[in-house]
Amino acid sequence: MTSALRRAAVFFALPITLLAIWWFASAGSTDFLMPPLAKILEVFPETWSRHRLTHDVAPSLIRLAVGFAGALLIGIGAGVVIGSSRVVRLFAEPVLEFLRAIPPPALVPIFILVAGIDNVMKVLVIISGCVWPIVLNTVEGVRGADPVLAETCRSYRIGEMLRLRMFVLRSASPQIVTGARQALSIGIILMVISEMKAASEGLGFTIREFQTGYQFPQMWSGVLLLGLIGVVLSLLFRVAENRVLVWYHGQRAAARVSR
Amino acid sequence: MTRSRHLPSGAGCPAALLGLGGLATFALLLEVLPRAGVLPADYFPPASRIALALLDEFGQPAFREALGDTLLTWVTSLAIAVGAGIAVGVAIGSTPLVRDLTASTIEFLRPIPSVALIPGLIVLLGTGMESTLVIAVYASFWQVLVQVLYGVADVDPVARETAHSYRLKARHRIRYVVWPTTLPYVMTGIRLAAAVALILTITGELVIGTPGLGKKIDVAYSSGDVPSMYALIAVTGLIGVLANVVTRRAERWALVWHPSVRGESPA
Protein backbone atom coordinates (compact mmCIF):
# COMPACT_ATOMS: atom_id res chain seq x y z
CA MET A 1 0.00 0.00 0.00
CA THR A 2 2.72 2.45 0.94
CA SER A 3 4.74 1.49 -2.13
CA ALA A 4 1.73 2.17 -4.36
CA LEU A 5 1.30 5.54 -2.65
CA ARG A 6 4.96 6.28 -3.14
CA ARG A 7 4.77 5.38 -6.81
CA ALA A 8 1.75 7.61 -7.28
CA ALA A 9 3.57 10.44 -5.53
CA VAL A 10 6.63 9.99 -7.73
CA PHE A 11 4.42 9.82 -10.83
CA PHE A 12 2.41 12.97 -10.11
CA ALA A 13 4.91 15.13 -8.23
CA LEU A 14 6.61 16.83 -11.15
CA PRO A 15 3.57 17.28 -13.45
CA ILE A 16 1.63 18.88 -10.58
CA THR A 17 4.56 21.11 -9.69
CA LEU A 18 4.94 22.26 -13.29
CA LEU A 19 1.23 22.92 -13.68
CA ALA A 20 1.23 24.86 -10.41
CA ILE A 21 4.16 26.95 -11.61
CA TRP A 22 2.36 27.67 -14.89
CA TRP A 23 -0.87 28.45 -13.02
CA PHE A 24 0.67 30.90 -10.55
CA ALA A 25 3.26 32.44 -12.88
CA SER A 26 0.58 33.24 -15.45
CA ALA A 27 -2.14 34.11 -12.90
CA GLY A 28 -1.63 37.87 -13.02
CA SER A 29 -0.67 37.93 -16.69
CA THR A 30 -2.09 40.93 -18.51
CA ASP A 31 -0.17 40.08 -21.67
CA PHE A 32 -3.00 39.16 -23.96
CA LEU A 33 -0.74 36.88 -26.01
CA MET A 34 -0.16 34.72 -22.92
CA PRO A 35 -3.39 34.57 -20.95
CA PRO A 36 -3.48 33.00 -17.47
CA LEU A 37 -3.84 29.22 -17.39
CA ALA A 38 -7.06 29.69 -15.44
CA LYS A 39 -8.51 31.64 -18.36
CA ILE A 40 -7.40 29.01 -20.90
CA LEU A 41 -9.03 26.24 -18.90
CA GLU A 42 -12.14 28.38 -18.43
CA VAL A 43 -12.69 28.79 -22.17
CA PHE A 44 -11.79 25.15 -22.91
CA PRO A 45 -15.28 23.60 -22.49
CA GLU A 46 -17.10 26.28 -24.45
CA THR A 47 -14.44 26.36 -27.19
CA TRP A 48 -14.49 22.61 -27.70
CA SER A 49 -18.24 22.26 -27.59
CA ARG A 50 -20.11 19.27 -28.94
CA HIS A 51 -20.52 21.05 -32.27
CA ARG A 52 -16.78 21.67 -32.66
CA LEU A 53 -15.97 18.15 -31.57
CA THR A 54 -18.19 16.60 -34.22
CA HIS A 55 -17.44 19.13 -36.99
CA ASP A 56 -13.73 19.76 -36.53
CA VAL A 57 -12.07 17.29 -34.20
CA ALA A 58 -13.80 14.11 -35.36
CA PRO A 59 -13.11 14.65 -39.10
CA SER A 60 -9.43 15.29 -38.34
CA LEU A 61 -9.15 12.10 -36.31
CA ILE A 62 -11.04 10.05 -38.90
CA ARG A 63 -8.71 11.26 -41.64
CA LEU A 64 -5.75 10.37 -39.46
CA ALA A 65 -7.17 6.90 -38.79
CA VAL A 66 -7.92 6.23 -42.48
CA GLY A 67 -4.52 7.52 -43.58
CA PHE A 68 -2.67 5.55 -40.92
CA ALA A 69 -4.56 2.35 -41.73
CA GLY A 70 -3.92 2.85 -45.45
CA ALA A 71 -0.23 3.41 -44.80
CA LEU A 72 -0.10 0.22 -42.69
CA LEU A 73 -1.70 -1.86 -45.45
CA ILE A 74 0.43 -0.42 -48.26
CA GLY A 75 3.58 -0.30 -46.18
CA ILE A 76 3.42 -3.86 -44.87
CA GLY A 77 2.40 -5.19 -48.30
CA ALA A 78 5.20 -3.43 -50.12
CA GLY A 79 7.65 -4.20 -47.34
CA VAL A 80 6.97 -7.95 -47.49
CA VAL A 81 7.34 -8.00 -51.30
CA ILE A 82 10.55 -5.97 -51.23
CA GLY A 83 12.03 -7.74 -48.23
CA SER A 84 11.40 -11.24 -49.56
CA SER A 85 13.55 -10.87 -52.66
CA ARG A 86 17.13 -9.71 -52.72
CA VAL A 87 16.88 -8.51 -56.32
CA VAL A 88 13.74 -6.46 -55.73
CA ARG A 89 15.26 -5.01 -52.57
CA LEU A 90 18.50 -3.92 -54.21
CA PHE A 91 16.53 -2.56 -57.17
CA ALA A 92 14.12 -0.51 -55.06
CA GLU A 93 16.39 0.55 -52.21
CA PRO A 94 17.92 3.78 -53.64
CA VAL A 95 14.54 5.03 -54.84
CA LEU A 96 12.97 4.23 -51.47
CA GLU A 97 15.84 5.95 -49.64
CA PHE A 98 15.24 9.07 -51.71
CA LEU A 99 11.46 9.07 -51.37
CA ARG A 100 11.70 8.45 -47.66
CA ALA A 101 14.18 11.29 -47.21
CA ILE A 102 11.78 13.88 -48.64
CA PRO A 103 10.25 15.67 -45.64
CA PRO A 104 6.57 14.69 -46.02
CA PRO A 105 5.21 18.22 -45.35
CA ALA A 106 6.99 19.34 -48.53
CA LEU A 107 4.59 17.10 -50.44
CA VAL A 108 1.51 18.94 -49.19
CA PRO A 109 1.51 21.43 -52.13
CA ILE A 110 1.72 18.56 -54.65
CA PHE A 111 -1.28 16.85 -53.13
CA ILE A 112 -3.25 20.09 -53.03
CA LEU A 113 -2.57 20.45 -56.77
CA VAL A 114 -3.54 16.89 -57.56
CA ALA A 115 -6.43 16.26 -55.21
CA GLY A 116 -7.74 19.68 -54.21
CA ILE A 117 -8.26 20.55 -50.57
CA ASP A 118 -10.81 17.94 -49.59
CA ASN A 119 -10.54 14.78 -47.53
CA VAL A 120 -8.78 12.83 -50.28
CA MET A 121 -5.86 15.24 -50.29
CA LYS A 122 -5.42 15.09 -46.53
CA VAL A 123 -5.62 11.31 -46.39
CA LEU A 124 -3.10 11.06 -49.26
CA VAL A 125 -0.75 13.44 -47.44
CA ILE A 126 -0.97 11.33 -44.29
CA ILE A 127 -0.40 8.09 -46.22
CA SER A 128 2.52 9.58 -48.15
CA GLY A 129 4.29 10.47 -44.92
CA CYS A 130 3.41 7.44 -42.81
CA VAL A 131 4.17 4.76 -45.36
CA TRP A 132 7.99 5.05 -45.45
CA PRO A 133 8.95 4.14 -41.90
CA ILE A 134 6.53 1.18 -42.16
CA VAL A 135 7.93 -0.03 -45.50
CA LEU A 136 11.57 0.26 -44.47
CA ASN A 137 11.07 -1.37 -41.08
CA THR A 138 9.01 -4.18 -42.61
CA VAL A 139 11.79 -4.81 -45.15
CA GLU A 140 14.33 -5.00 -42.33
CA GLY A 141 12.04 -7.24 -40.29
CA VAL A 142 11.40 -9.64 -43.16
CA ARG A 143 15.12 -9.77 -43.96
CA GLY A 144 16.06 -10.41 -40.36
CA ALA A 145 13.78 -13.46 -40.03
CA ASP A 146 15.43 -16.48 -38.45
CA PRO A 147 16.97 -18.51 -41.33
CA VAL A 148 16.52 -21.80 -39.47
CA LEU A 149 12.79 -21.20 -39.13
CA ALA A 150 12.65 -20.17 -42.82
CA GLU A 151 14.33 -23.45 -43.82
CA THR A 152 12.00 -25.36 -41.53
CA CYS A 153 8.97 -23.78 -43.20
CA ARG A 154 10.35 -24.77 -46.58
CA SER A 155 11.16 -28.34 -45.50
CA TYR A 156 7.68 -28.87 -44.15
CA ARG A 157 6.24 -27.30 -47.32
CA ILE A 158 4.14 -24.91 -45.33
CA GLY A 159 1.65 -23.13 -47.57
CA GLU A 160 2.35 -19.62 -48.75
CA MET A 161 -0.49 -17.92 -46.85
CA LEU A 162 0.15 -19.78 -43.65
CA ARG A 163 3.88 -19.06 -43.88
CA LEU A 164 3.17 -15.37 -44.44
CA ARG A 165 0.79 -15.14 -41.53
CA MET A 166 2.50 -17.36 -38.99
CA PHE A 167 6.17 -16.81 -39.82
CA VAL A 168 7.01 -13.81 -42.02
CA LEU A 169 4.64 -11.24 -40.55
CA ARG A 170 5.00 -12.61 -37.04
CA SER A 171 8.78 -12.47 -37.00
CA ALA A 172 8.79 -9.03 -38.61
CA SER A 173 6.16 -7.63 -36.25
CA PRO A 174 8.53 -6.04 -33.69
CA GLN A 175 10.12 -4.03 -36.50
CA ILE A 176 6.74 -3.25 -38.07
CA VAL A 177 5.52 -1.92 -34.74
CA THR A 178 8.60 0.30 -34.45
CA GLY A 179 7.89 1.67 -37.92
CA ALA A 180 4.23 2.17 -37.11
CA ARG A 181 5.13 4.13 -33.99
CA GLN A 182 7.30 6.53 -36.02
CA ALA A 183 4.54 6.70 -38.63
CA LEU A 184 1.93 7.67 -36.06
CA SER A 185 3.80 10.74 -34.86
CA ILE A 186 4.47 11.79 -38.46
CA GLY A 187 0.77 11.22 -39.18
CA ILE A 188 -0.31 13.59 -36.41
CA ILE A 189 2.05 16.27 -37.74
CA LEU A 190 0.66 15.85 -41.25
CA MET A 191 -2.94 15.86 -40.04
CA VAL A 192 -2.36 19.28 -38.48
CA ILE A 193 -0.28 20.72 -41.31
CA SER A 194 -2.60 19.66 -44.12
CA GLU A 195 -5.37 21.50 -42.27
CA MET A 196 -3.29 24.56 -41.51
CA LYS A 197 -2.28 24.87 -45.17
CA ALA A 198 -5.61 24.32 -46.83
CA ALA A 199 -8.91 23.43 -45.21
CA SER A 200 -12.29 24.77 -44.25
CA GLU A 201 -12.69 22.62 -41.15
CA GLY A 202 -10.57 20.49 -38.87
CA LEU A 203 -8.49 20.87 -35.76
CA GLY A 204 -5.48 22.52 -37.39
CA PHE A 205 -7.70 24.90 -39.31
CA THR A 206 -9.67 25.93 -36.21
CA ILE A 207 -6.56 26.63 -34.14
CA ARG A 208 -5.11 28.66 -36.99
CA GLU A 209 -8.37 30.63 -37.16
CA PHE A 210 -8.19 31.48 -33.47
CA GLN A 211 -4.63 32.69 -34.01
CA THR A 212 -5.46 34.95 -36.94
CA GLY A 213 -8.62 36.10 -35.15
CA TYR A 214 -6.66 37.16 -32.03
CA GLN A 215 -8.63 34.73 -29.84
CA PHE A 216 -5.59 33.73 -27.85
CA PRO A 217 -7.14 31.88 -24.87
CA GLN A 218 -9.09 29.76 -27.36
CA MET A 219 -5.96 29.23 -29.42
CA TRP A 220 -3.97 28.01 -26.40
CA SER A 221 -6.85 25.73 -25.43
CA GLY A 222 -6.56 24.22 -28.92
CA VAL A 223 -2.82 23.73 -28.45
CA LEU A 224 -3.63 21.94 -25.17
CA LEU A 225 -6.23 19.76 -26.90
CA LEU A 226 -3.76 18.78 -29.64
CA GLY A 227 -1.22 17.89 -26.98
CA LEU A 228 -3.81 15.77 -25.18
CA ILE A 229 -4.70 14.00 -28.43
CA GLY A 230 -1.02 13.23 -29.00
CA VAL A 231 -0.69 11.77 -25.51
CA VAL A 232 -3.88 9.71 -25.75
CA LEU A 233 -2.94 8.31 -29.17
CA SER A 234 0.48 7.27 -27.92
CA LEU A 235 -1.13 5.55 -24.93
CA LEU A 236 -3.55 3.72 -27.24
CA PHE A 237 -0.64 2.71 -29.43
CA ARG A 238 1.16 1.28 -26.44
CA VAL A 239 -1.89 -0.77 -25.46
CA ALA A 240 -2.11 -2.13 -29.01
CA GLU A 241 1.62 -2.80 -29.07
CA ASN A 242 1.47 -4.77 -25.83
CA ARG A 243 -1.30 -6.93 -27.26
CA VAL A 244 0.43 -7.59 -30.57
CA LEU A 245 3.91 -8.09 -29.16
CA VAL A 246 3.10 -9.88 -25.94
CA TRP A 247 5.07 -12.96 -27.11
CA TYR A 248 8.05 -10.82 -28.05
CA HIS A 249 8.30 -8.93 -24.77
CA GLY A 250 7.94 -12.23 -22.93
CA GLN A 251 10.73 -13.77 -25.00
CA ARG A 252 13.00 -10.80 -24.37
CA ALA A 253 12.33 -10.86 -20.64
CA ALA A 254 13.08 -14.58 -20.54
CA ALA A 255 16.30 -14.08 -22.50
CA ARG A 256 17.36 -11.35 -20.10
CA VAL A 257 16.77 -13.54 -17.05
CA SER A 258 18.70 -16.48 -18.51
CA ARG A 259 21.61 -14.21 -19.38
CA MET B 1 21.81 -14.47 -37.32
CA THR B 2 25.54 -15.06 -36.99
CA ARG B 3 26.15 -13.59 -40.43
CA SER B 4 23.90 -10.59 -40.44
CA ARG B 5 25.79 -8.80 -43.20
CA HIS B 6 24.61 -10.23 -46.48
CA LEU B 7 26.83 -8.24 -48.78
CA PRO B 8 30.36 -9.50 -49.20
CA SER B 9 32.52 -6.96 -51.04
CA GLY B 10 32.48 -9.01 -54.26
CA ALA B 11 28.71 -8.68 -54.58
CA GLY B 12 28.94 -4.89 -54.43
CA CYS B 13 28.97 -4.39 -58.18
CA PRO B 14 25.67 -6.01 -59.21
CA ALA B 15 24.03 -4.49 -56.13
CA ALA B 16 25.08 -1.00 -57.18
CA LEU B 17 24.00 -1.74 -60.76
CA LEU B 18 20.59 -2.95 -59.62
CA GLY B 19 20.17 0.19 -57.53
CA LEU B 20 21.13 2.40 -60.46
CA GLY B 21 18.69 0.47 -62.60
CA GLY B 22 15.98 1.18 -60.05
CA LEU B 23 16.76 4.88 -60.07
CA ALA B 24 16.83 4.93 -63.87
CA THR B 25 13.48 3.13 -64.06
CA PHE B 26 12.00 5.58 -61.61
CA ALA B 27 13.24 8.56 -63.64
CA LEU B 28 12.06 6.95 -66.86
CA LEU B 29 8.57 6.38 -65.48
CA LEU B 30 8.46 10.01 -64.32
CA GLU B 31 9.44 11.05 -67.82
CA VAL B 32 7.21 8.74 -69.85
CA LEU B 33 3.98 8.61 -67.85
CA PRO B 34 3.29 12.38 -68.00
CA ARG B 35 4.29 12.56 -71.68
CA ALA B 36 2.06 9.64 -72.57
CA GLY B 37 -0.81 11.32 -70.76
CA VAL B 38 -1.16 8.61 -68.12
CA LEU B 39 -0.47 11.23 -65.44
CA PRO B 40 -1.79 14.76 -66.03
CA ALA B 41 1.25 16.73 -67.21
CA ASP B 42 0.00 19.92 -65.56
CA TYR B 43 0.44 18.36 -62.14
CA PHE B 44 3.22 15.89 -62.90
CA PRO B 45 5.80 17.52 -65.13
CA PRO B 46 8.14 15.05 -66.90
CA ALA B 47 11.43 14.35 -65.13
CA SER B 48 13.44 16.24 -67.75
CA ARG B 49 11.50 19.45 -67.07
CA ILE B 50 12.02 19.02 -63.34
CA ALA B 51 15.75 18.54 -63.98
CA LEU B 52 15.86 21.69 -66.12
CA ALA B 53 14.03 23.64 -63.41
CA LEU B 54 16.53 22.29 -60.89
CA LEU B 55 19.49 23.49 -62.99
CA ASP B 56 17.77 26.82 -63.36
CA GLU B 57 17.27 27.09 -59.60
CA PHE B 58 20.93 26.34 -58.89
CA GLY B 59 21.89 29.34 -61.00
CA GLN B 60 19.80 31.72 -58.91
CA PRO B 61 21.18 33.51 -55.86
CA ALA B 62 17.73 33.41 -54.22
CA PHE B 63 17.84 29.61 -54.31
CA ARG B 64 21.31 29.41 -52.81
CA GLU B 65 20.22 31.78 -50.08
CA ALA B 66 17.14 29.67 -49.30
CA LEU B 67 19.26 26.52 -49.29
CA GLY B 68 21.69 28.19 -46.88
CA ASP B 69 18.83 29.32 -44.62
CA THR B 70 17.38 25.83 -44.49
CA LEU B 71 20.73 24.19 -43.78
CA LEU B 72 21.52 26.75 -41.08
CA THR B 73 18.17 26.32 -39.30
CA TRP B 74 18.42 22.55 -39.56
CA VAL B 75 22.01 22.20 -38.31
CA THR B 76 21.45 24.73 -35.50
CA SER B 77 18.33 22.97 -34.27
CA LEU B 78 20.05 19.60 -34.46
CA ALA B 79 23.07 20.87 -32.52
CA ILE B 80 20.89 22.36 -29.78
CA ALA B 81 18.73 19.24 -29.56
CA VAL B 82 21.71 16.89 -29.40
CA GLY B 83 23.60 18.99 -26.84
CA ALA B 84 20.57 19.47 -24.62
CA GLY B 85 19.42 15.87 -25.07
CA ILE B 86 22.76 14.43 -23.98
CA ALA B 87 23.22 16.83 -21.05
CA VAL B 88 19.68 16.41 -19.72
CA GLY B 89 19.68 12.67 -20.41
CA VAL B 90 22.92 11.98 -18.52
CA ALA B 91 21.85 14.27 -15.67
CA ILE B 92 18.43 12.66 -15.30
CA GLY B 93 19.50 9.11 -16.04
CA SER B 94 22.36 9.02 -13.53
CA THR B 95 20.11 9.37 -10.49
CA PRO B 96 17.32 6.78 -10.15
CA LEU B 97 15.12 9.08 -8.08
CA VAL B 98 15.32 11.94 -10.61
CA ARG B 99 14.69 9.44 -13.38
CA ASP B 100 11.52 8.17 -11.68
CA LEU B 101 10.35 11.68 -10.89
CA THR B 102 10.69 12.90 -14.46
CA ALA B 103 9.46 9.75 -16.25
CA SER B 104 5.77 10.70 -16.23
CA THR B 105 6.46 14.27 -17.38
CA ILE B 106 8.61 13.06 -20.27
CA GLU B 107 5.93 10.56 -21.26
CA PHE B 108 3.39 13.39 -21.37
CA LEU B 109 5.50 16.02 -23.11
CA ARG B 110 7.07 13.79 -25.74
CA PRO B 111 3.97 12.88 -27.77
CA ILE B 112 2.75 16.49 -27.92
CA PRO B 113 3.01 17.19 -31.64
CA SER B 114 5.43 20.07 -32.06
CA VAL B 115 3.28 21.51 -34.85
CA ALA B 116 0.64 22.19 -32.18
CA LEU B 117 2.97 24.94 -30.99
CA ILE B 118 3.01 26.73 -34.36
CA PRO B 119 0.16 29.20 -33.77
CA GLY B 120 1.48 30.05 -30.32
CA LEU B 121 5.00 30.55 -31.62
CA ILE B 122 3.84 32.82 -34.41
CA VAL B 123 2.17 35.17 -31.94
CA LEU B 124 5.03 35.01 -29.43
CA LEU B 125 8.13 34.96 -31.64
CA GLY B 126 6.90 36.03 -35.06
CA THR B 127 7.65 34.30 -38.34
CA GLY B 128 11.45 34.41 -38.21
CA MET B 129 13.95 31.61 -37.78
CA GLU B 130 13.32 31.40 -34.00
CA SER B 131 9.85 29.91 -34.37
CA THR B 132 11.04 27.22 -36.75
CA LEU B 133 14.05 26.55 -34.53
CA VAL B 134 11.78 25.98 -31.54
CA ILE B 135 9.56 23.38 -33.24
CA ALA B 136 12.58 21.62 -34.77
CA VAL B 137 14.44 21.55 -31.44
CA TYR B 138 11.32 20.47 -29.54
CA ALA B 139 10.67 17.53 -31.87
CA SER B 140 14.26 16.30 -32.18
CA PHE B 141 15.22 16.83 -28.52
CA TRP B 142 13.00 13.94 -27.39
CA GLN B 143 14.57 11.57 -29.92
CA VAL B 144 18.00 12.18 -28.37
CA LEU B 145 16.81 12.34 -24.76
CA VAL B 146 14.95 9.04 -24.88
CA GLN B 147 17.87 7.25 -26.50
CA VAL B 148 20.31 8.68 -23.94
CA LEU B 149 18.03 7.55 -21.11
CA TYR B 150 17.93 4.02 -22.58
CA GLY B 151 21.70 4.11 -22.90
CA VAL B 152 22.38 5.28 -19.35
CA ALA B 153 19.99 2.63 -18.01
CA ASP B 154 21.87 -0.01 -20.01
CA VAL B 155 25.15 0.46 -18.10
CA ASP B 156 26.42 -2.89 -16.87
CA PRO B 157 25.62 -3.11 -13.13
CA VAL B 158 28.97 -4.79 -12.42
CA ALA B 159 30.86 -1.94 -14.11
CA ARG B 160 28.78 0.55 -12.16
CA GLU B 161 29.44 -1.19 -8.85
CA THR B 162 33.13 -1.46 -9.67
CA ALA B 163 33.37 2.25 -10.40
CA HIS B 164 31.54 2.86 -7.16
CA SER B 165 33.91 0.64 -5.16
CA TYR B 166 36.94 2.35 -6.63
CA ARG B 167 35.35 5.69 -5.76
CA LEU B 168 35.64 7.07 -9.26
CA LYS B 169 34.77 10.75 -9.39
CA ALA B 170 31.49 11.62 -11.09
CA ARG B 171 33.43 13.11 -14.00
CA HIS B 172 35.44 9.94 -14.54
CA ARG B 173 32.45 7.71 -13.99
CA ILE B 174 30.58 9.48 -16.77
CA ARG B 175 33.62 9.43 -19.06
CA TYR B 176 34.68 5.80 -18.60
CA VAL B 177 31.56 3.91 -17.52
CA VAL B 178 28.42 5.73 -18.66
CA TRP B 179 29.63 7.27 -21.92
CA PRO B 180 30.93 4.13 -23.72
CA THR B 181 27.64 2.33 -23.04
CA THR B 182 25.55 5.33 -24.00
CA LEU B 183 27.39 6.30 -27.19
CA PRO B 184 25.68 3.78 -29.53
CA TYR B 185 22.32 5.00 -28.26
CA VAL B 186 23.41 8.62 -28.70
CA MET B 187 24.36 7.94 -32.31
CA THR B 188 20.98 6.31 -32.98
CA GLY B 189 19.34 9.33 -31.36
CA ILE B 190 21.32 11.71 -33.58
CA ARG B 191 20.34 9.80 -36.71
CA LEU B 192 16.65 9.91 -35.79
CA ALA B 193 16.91 13.53 -34.67
CA ALA B 194 18.57 14.63 -37.93
CA ALA B 195 15.62 13.34 -39.96
CA VAL B 196 13.04 14.79 -37.58
CA ALA B 197 14.77 18.18 -37.40
CA LEU B 198 14.83 18.38 -41.21
CA ILE B 199 11.12 17.56 -41.42
CA LEU B 200 10.25 20.22 -38.88
CA THR B 201 12.57 22.80 -40.47
CA ILE B 202 10.82 22.40 -43.82
CA THR B 203 7.44 22.37 -42.04
CA GLY B 204 8.21 25.64 -40.27
CA GLU B 205 9.28 27.28 -43.51
CA LEU B 206 6.21 26.01 -45.29
CA VAL B 207 3.60 26.77 -42.64
CA ILE B 208 5.10 29.64 -40.64
CA GLY B 209 6.83 31.28 -43.58
CA THR B 210 10.38 31.30 -42.22
CA PRO B 211 12.83 31.97 -45.08
CA GLY B 212 14.20 28.77 -46.64
CA LEU B 213 13.41 26.01 -49.12
CA GLY B 214 10.00 25.30 -47.59
CA LYS B 215 8.94 28.89 -48.18
CA LYS B 216 10.25 28.70 -51.75
CA ILE B 217 8.16 25.57 -52.31
CA ASP B 218 5.13 27.46 -51.08
CA VAL B 219 5.91 30.43 -53.35
CA ALA B 220 6.44 28.15 -56.37
CA TYR B 221 3.15 26.44 -55.56
CA SER B 222 1.13 29.63 -55.27
CA SER B 223 2.65 31.12 -58.42
CA GLY B 224 1.83 27.95 -60.36
CA ASP B 225 5.46 27.15 -61.15
CA VAL B 226 4.96 23.40 -60.91
CA PRO B 227 8.35 22.18 -62.28
CA SER B 228 10.38 24.28 -59.84
CA MET B 229 8.08 23.19 -57.03
CA TYR B 230 9.05 19.59 -57.82
CA ALA B 231 12.68 20.57 -58.21
CA LEU B 232 12.73 22.20 -54.77
CA ILE B 233 11.00 19.20 -53.19
CA ALA B 234 13.64 16.97 -54.79
CA VAL B 235 16.34 19.16 -53.22
CA THR B 236 14.83 18.63 -49.77
CA GLY B 237 14.88 14.89 -50.48
CA LEU B 238 18.55 15.07 -51.48
CA ILE B 239 19.34 16.89 -48.23
CA GLY B 240 17.55 14.11 -46.40
CA VAL B 241 19.55 11.42 -48.22
CA LEU B 242 22.76 13.30 -47.45
CA ALA B 243 21.76 13.52 -43.78
CA ASN B 244 21.21 9.76 -43.66
CA VAL B 245 24.53 9.00 -45.31
CA VAL B 246 26.47 11.41 -43.10
CA THR B 247 24.89 10.23 -39.84
CA ARG B 248 25.46 6.57 -40.76
CA ARG B 249 29.10 7.29 -41.58
CA ALA B 250 29.48 9.21 -38.32
CA GLU B 251 27.89 6.30 -36.47
CA ARG B 252 30.41 3.84 -37.89
CA TRP B 253 33.28 6.24 -37.28
CA ALA B 254 32.34 6.93 -33.66
CA LEU B 255 31.70 3.27 -32.92
CA VAL B 256 34.63 1.53 -34.67
CA TRP B 257 35.49 -0.07 -31.35
CA HIS B 258 31.95 -1.28 -30.71
CA PRO B 259 31.04 -4.96 -31.26
CA SER B 260 27.99 -4.03 -33.37
CA VAL B 261 30.23 -2.28 -35.91
CA ARG B 262 33.17 -4.68 -35.66
CA GLY B 263 30.76 -7.47 -36.45
CA GLU B 264 31.98 -9.75 -33.70
CA SER B 265 28.53 -10.41 -32.37
CA PRO B 266 25.09 -9.70 -33.76
CA ALA B 267 23.85 -6.48 -32.25
Side-chain angles (χ1 to χ4, degrees):
Chain A
M1 187 60 208
T2 45
S3 83
L5 257 180
R6 200 188 113 85
R7 243 187 320 185
V10 166
F11 189 88
F12 288 111
L14 189 60
I16 289 177
T17 317
L18 290 176
L19 277 177
I21 292 175
W22 185 8
W23 180 280
F24 288 112
S26 68
S29 169
T30 51
D31 183 350
F32 87 126
L33 294 179
M34 297 209 74
L37 179 56
K39 176 82 183 154
I40 298 174
L41 293 180
E42 187 193 313
V43 301
F44 194 96
E46 57 186 83
T47 307
W48 303 103
S49 59
R50 176 172 292 245
H51 179 79
R52 277 250 164 68
L53 288 180
T54 50
H55 284 81
D56 290 309
V57 181
S60 297
L61 292 177
I62 291 172
R63 285 190 290 257
L64 176 64
V66 173
F68 186 65
L72 272 179
L73 274 179
I74 300 173
I76 295 177
V80 168
V81 171
I82 296 170
S84 305
S85 152
R86 180 172 170 273
V87 175
V88 177
R89 181 168 56 77
L90 291 174
F91 187 74
E93 213 158 45
V95 176
L96 288 180
E97 285 289 330
F98 173 68
L99 290 177
R100 168 186 74 150
I102 297 175
L107 299 175
V108 172
I110 295 186
F111 286 109
I112 300 178
L113 267 184
V114 177
I117 65 164
D118 58 357
N119 288 329
V120 177
M121 177 281 275
K122 287 169 200 127
V123 169
L124 283 179
V125 166
I126 293 172
I127 292 180
S128 74
C130 291
V131 81
W132 306 113
I134 302 175
V135 173
L136 292 163
N137 279 289
T138 307
V139 169
E140 285 304 309
V142 171
R143 270 184 70 195
D146 186 350
V148 176
L149 282 178
E151 296 289 312
T152 312
C153 282
R154 198 169 311 151
S155 308
Y156 280 89
R157 304 213 177 152
I158 293 188
E160 199 58 30
M161 281 319 285
L162 191 64
R163 198 178 67 92
L164 187 68
R165 205 159 51 90
M166 298 306 285
F167 169 60
V168 177
L169 287 180
R170 187 57 65 88
S171 67
S173 58
Q175 302 261 15
I176 296 176
V177 166
T178 307
R181 193 185 309 114
Q182 292 171 15
L184 183 62
S185 53
I186 293 177
I188 299 175
I189 293 179
L190 291 173
M191 170 188 93
V192 177
I193 293 174
S194 62
E195 293 167 358
M196 282 185 173
K197 269 326 267 186
S200 49
E201 38 87 14
L203 197 48
F205 170 78
T206 312
I207 299 177
R208 195 75 196 249
E209 269 223 315
F210 288 140
Q211 176 221 323
T212 47
Y214 298 98
Q215 293 172 285
F216 294 119
Q218 284 81 353
M219 180 196 85
W220 287 111
S221 77
V223 173
L224 270 186
L225 179 67
L226 256 182
L228 279 178
I229 289 175
V231 173
V232 168
L233 287 180
S234 83
L235 285 176
L236 286 178
F237 188 90
R238 191 175 310 172
V239 172
E241 175 185 341
N242 283 339
R243 287 187 69 117
V244 175
L245 292 185
V246 66
W247 61 274
Y248 175 72
H249 292 313
Q251 205 178 48
R252 289 258 310 226
R256 214 171 296 144
V257 169
S258 68
R259 211 161 31 126
Chain B
M1 262 314 193
T2 45
R3 286 221 158 252
S4 59
R5 296 185 53 207
H6 290 291
L7 280 179
S9 54
C13 185
L17 276 182
L18 270 174
L20 279 179
L23 284 173
T25 312
F26 181 63
L28 199 69
L29 281 177
L30 277 185
E31 179 71 30
V32 171
L33 291 183
R35 288 203 187 275
V38 181
L39 294 171
D42 286 349
Y43 303 150
F44 295 98
S48 55
R49 282 190 56 204
I50 299 177
L52 282 179
L54 188 61
L55 281 178
D56 189 43
E57 286 291 341
F58 270 110
Q60 289 175 16
F63 167 78
R64 292 196 291 264
E65 203 173 302
L67 181 63
D69 285 337
T70 297
L71 291 177
L72 180 67
T73 312
W74 173 47
V75 172
T76 313
S77 62
L78 185 59
I80 298 175
V82 169
I86 293 175
V88 175
V90 171
I92 291 178
S94 306
T95 324
L97 180 65
V98 181
R99 194 187 155 90
D100 292 348
L101 276 174
T102 50
S104 59
T105 310
I106 292 174
E107 283 305 302
F108 278 114
L109 290 179
R110 186 160 67 114
I112 293 179
S114 54
V115 285
L117 304 172
I118 287 178
L121 289 169
I122 293 178
V123 300
L124 291 178
L125 299 175
T127 58
M129 180 181 158
E130 295 88 353
S131 296
T132 300
L133 260 185
V134 172
I135 56 167
V137 169
Y138 186 88
S140 44
F141 169 75
W142 302 110
Q143 307 282 345
V144 184
L145 178 70
V146 170
Q147 288 294 327
V148 173
L149 287 177
Y150 284 149
V152 175
D154 195 33
V155 170
D156 183 14
V158 177
R160 200 203 325 260
E161 298 286 307
T162 310
H164 200 73
S165 305
Y166 280 91
R167 299 200 184 169
L168 250 61
K169 292 199 187 89
R171 183 157 49 92
H172 292 139
R173 209 170 52 228
I174 288 176
R175 171 69 188 83
Y176 296 110
V177 180
V178 176
W179 186 244
T181 314
T182 313
L183 191 59
Y185 292 88
V186 171
M187 297 312 289
T188 306
I190 293 177
R191 186 154 45 78
L192 296 173
V196 169
L198 181 63
I199 292 177
L200 270 303
T201 302
I202 299 291
T203 304
E205 293 166 355
L206 197 67
V207 178
I208 301 176
T210 308
L213 289 174
K215 191 180 182 183
K216 284 212 66 152
I217 292 173
D218 201 33
V219 171
Y221 158 71
S222 39
S223 60
D225 190 354
V226 180
S228 34
M229 184 180 92
Y230 275 87
L232 291 164
I233 294 171
V235 173
T236 63
L238 291 176
I239 299 177
V241 171
L242 197 71
N244 278 330
V245 171
V246 170
T247 46
R248 272 181 209 283
R249 280 274 165 82
E251 205 167 349
R252 294 186 70 85
W253 173 80
L255 298 175
V256 272
W257 51 271
H258 196 272
S260 71
V261 171
R262 288 165 64 186
E264 285 177 2
S265 76

